[in-house]
Amino acid sequence: MPPQGGWGPHPPGPPTPPPRPARRPGVLRYVFDPFRAAQAVFRPSRPGVVEDPTVRKLQLWRAVAGFAAWVWLTVTYSAISDAGKVTDVVFERFNQSWISVLVLICTFPVVVGAFCAAAGSGLRQTYLRRALRPLGAVAAVVASMFTFPLAMAPEFESFRDFTGIPGKVVISLLALWSLGFAIYGIGLSLVHVFRTADIHEVVPPVLATLLVWEMAIMDVATGAYGNVPPLARIAFMMGAPVTVTALAAWELHRLRRRHGLRLRTALRG
């Protein structure tokens, strides 16, 4: 006889359905969103990579302050008076960023090669394997920039004619997609130094310091900002390398104190 008062065992309910597997982001979301694609390509994603939000915020504010100082310097000493000159300023800033990326591309294999060569034999293969993603980021930004001459340069006109109307439409859409991908990717490349934290966290501050001093030397050698008074020109040209060097030194300090990551231990294990 079942117990009174409803305290007896209840019949089993329907079985709980198994949880649905998490859906991976589809490829189409990157095809239709070049900015999301740039984030996937140019941001570090190695499992366990150390991210310091404080340093990232300072890097962002440093970039904003540098851009504001550059605009102020240009407006003050170039007398921008019409929309055409404003467009020239925007393109000049983009060209400067692109030159920085090109210098970084040239500096990247030297620094990464020296880092891997100096590492112990047990770490060398690991770092070389990790360098594949940063190398992929370098290849991606170069390939995206190549779409613009492919779509507009006279040298490729015969190729565009060969592809016909459908080919021209595809090339134009590819160039339009690459515009957002390249602009956002160049910014991410300079902030994350071509995602070299995927190799090791100490590589980005070292590489960024070398890059910014190379750019300063190039500005001095080419006589950049020649219409700016000497004191203002020196302060502006030296402000970036000094700021980046101080920030990189502080980043290395935080990595050492908070996360136990040192350049010496990165090379020797």
Side-chain angles (χ1 to χ4, degrees), residues 2 25 51-52 57 67 75 81 89 99-101 141 177 186 189 203 214 225 248 250 258:
E51 285 282 349
D52 194 322
K57 288 179 182 178
F67 178 74
V75 171
S81 57
V89 166
I99 291 173
S100 299
V101 171
V141 73
W177 185 92
I186 287 175
S189 297
V203 177
E214 283 181 327
Y225 311 105
W250 188 48
R258 292 177 176 265

Side-chain angles (χ1 to χ4, degrees), residues 61-96:
W61 281 110
R62 176 188 55 77
V64 171
F67 178 74
W70 180 85
V71 171
W72 172 81
L73 199 70
T74 305
V75 171
T76 302
Y77 295 104
S78 298
I80 297 177
S81 57
D82 54 38
K85 287 189 176 181
V86 172
T87 304
D88 293 340
V89 166
V90 173
F91 277 103
E92 183 180 351
R93 180 58 182 173
F94 180 77
N95 288 335
Q96 281 191 334

Side-chain angles (χ1 to χ4, degrees), residues 104 107-108 111-112 193-194 196 202-212:
L104 180 56
T107 307
F108 172 84
V111 175
V112 172
V193 200
F194 274 123
T196 45
V202 301
V203 177
V206 174
L207 188 54
T209 302
L210 293 176
L211 169 67
V212 75

Side-chain angles (χ1 to χ4, degrees), residues 176-267:
L176 183 63
W177 185 92
S178 298
L179 179 63
F181 179 83
I183 292 176
Y184 192 36
I186 287 175
L188 291 175
S189 297
L190 296 178
V191 172
H192 297 286
V193 200
F194 274 123
R195 64 183 298 174
T196 45
D198 277 344
I199 302 174
H200 195 280
E201 288 82 353
V202 301
V203 177
V206 174
L207 188 54
T209 302
L210 293 176
L211 169 67
V212 75
W213 282 106
E214 283 181 327
M215 294 300 299
I217 293 172
M218 288 178 58
D219 287 341
V220 172
T222 58
Y225 311 105
N227 59 331
V228 179
L231 290 179
R233 183 169 67 250
I234 293 173
F236 181 76
M237 292 172 61
M238 297 304 296
V242 171
T243 303
V244 172
T245 301
L247 181 60
W250 188 48
E251 183 174 358
L252 290 171
H253 173 75
R254 287 179 66 90
L255 289 172
R256 182 176 66 253
R257 293 293 299 273
R258 292 177 176 265
H259 308 286
L261 298 174
R262 296 175 172 84
L263 180 59
R264 180 176 59 188
T265 55
L267 296 175

